[in-house]
Amino acid sequence: MPGLVWLALDGVGHPDDAPEGSVWEAELPTLRPLVAAGRALDATLGVPGLPQSGTGQACWLTGVDAVRRMGEPGRGEHFGPHPGPTLQRLLRAAALPGRLVRAGGRAALANHYPPAYFAAQARRPRMGCFPFSFVAAGLDLNPPGLPPVPATLGLGYAEPWPEQTPLSEVARLGEALAGAAREQDLTVCDLWFGDHLGHRGRDPAPPDLLRAGRAYLERVDALLTGLLNAGAPVVLSSDHGNLEDLRVKSHTLARVPFAGAGVDLGTPANVVEGGGVIAGWFGLPQNRVVDA
């Protein structure tokens, strides 16, 4: 499926599982209808504990139940935020970027990584699942030809998270990204800032944090609007809940959105099946047995 753009949210539970007054109660004229028309997927996979980014993202990237690859045999364990040796082996063997490259396809990660990121990785390698999977596939971070997408989408990184970029500029970024993505089969935006904000939650939810969470989703909405206006096929996912309930600082048991435009979402029930659906759009078979 040439030109597909994957907006991989981190820590954003489905609005149907959010409390009253949540970040989802913002002006989201493109995002909310898209999510409402999509699916709400289980991220717990029947395993006790709160879903985590490492196993959740590995499920999306591989279509394999990464949770049951962790912990004691037969029981499984949610693990994260960064993939350890077990998940790294799984991602090297079965993650979508590597599978695409090995099949002759093209993939790119659109995130902007500043010099400080590479310096930190040199001191202590702790890549998330998405950058790890692209590097493992032999692909560069900050690839040429793509407009760099900041994970904050124009908010300040630190409290009070000021709005540094107007929504109109984020929408134009989406349009530019759609154009550049036509040269790829898959372009991914690893949008982890939602989880960063979610971990600042407490009861009652701080007003400035709630404002920042809504502002962030408004920026996701603007990016999505630009992509769709430029005709890009888009898929949107999330690995676990967090931002949707700012009364707590932990992850949640909320279902997660799986939505898209120009794609057939099928009928997946959980994040593993959702990952299998995405791989299927590229003609790749389901990962049933993986040497990991």
Side-chain angles (χ1 to χ4, degrees), residues 178-202:
R182 296 189 186 105
E183 302 301 315
Q184 307 288 335
D185 295 294
L186 172 68
T187 301
V188 176
C189 297
D190 178 18
L191 300 178
W192 49 260
F193 195 63
D195 193 53
H196 175 80
L197 291 173
H199 281 298
R200 272 70 183 162
R202 59 184 183 273

Side-chain angles (χ1 to χ4, degrees), residues 6-12 57 109 111 113 130 149-153 188-196 216 219-221 223-224 227 236-239:
W6 182 359
L7 301 183
L9 301 178
D10 188 338
V12 182
Q57 292 174 14
L109 186 59
N111 286 60
Y113 293 95
F130 280 96
V149 177
T152 65
L153 296 180
V188 176
C189 297
D190 178 18
L191 300 178
W192 49 260
F193 195 63
D195 193 53
H196 175 80
Y216 183 67
R219 278 154 171 69
V220 175
D221 183 272
L223 183 71
L224 177 64
L227 287 165
L236 180 142
S237 69
S238 182
D239 51 359

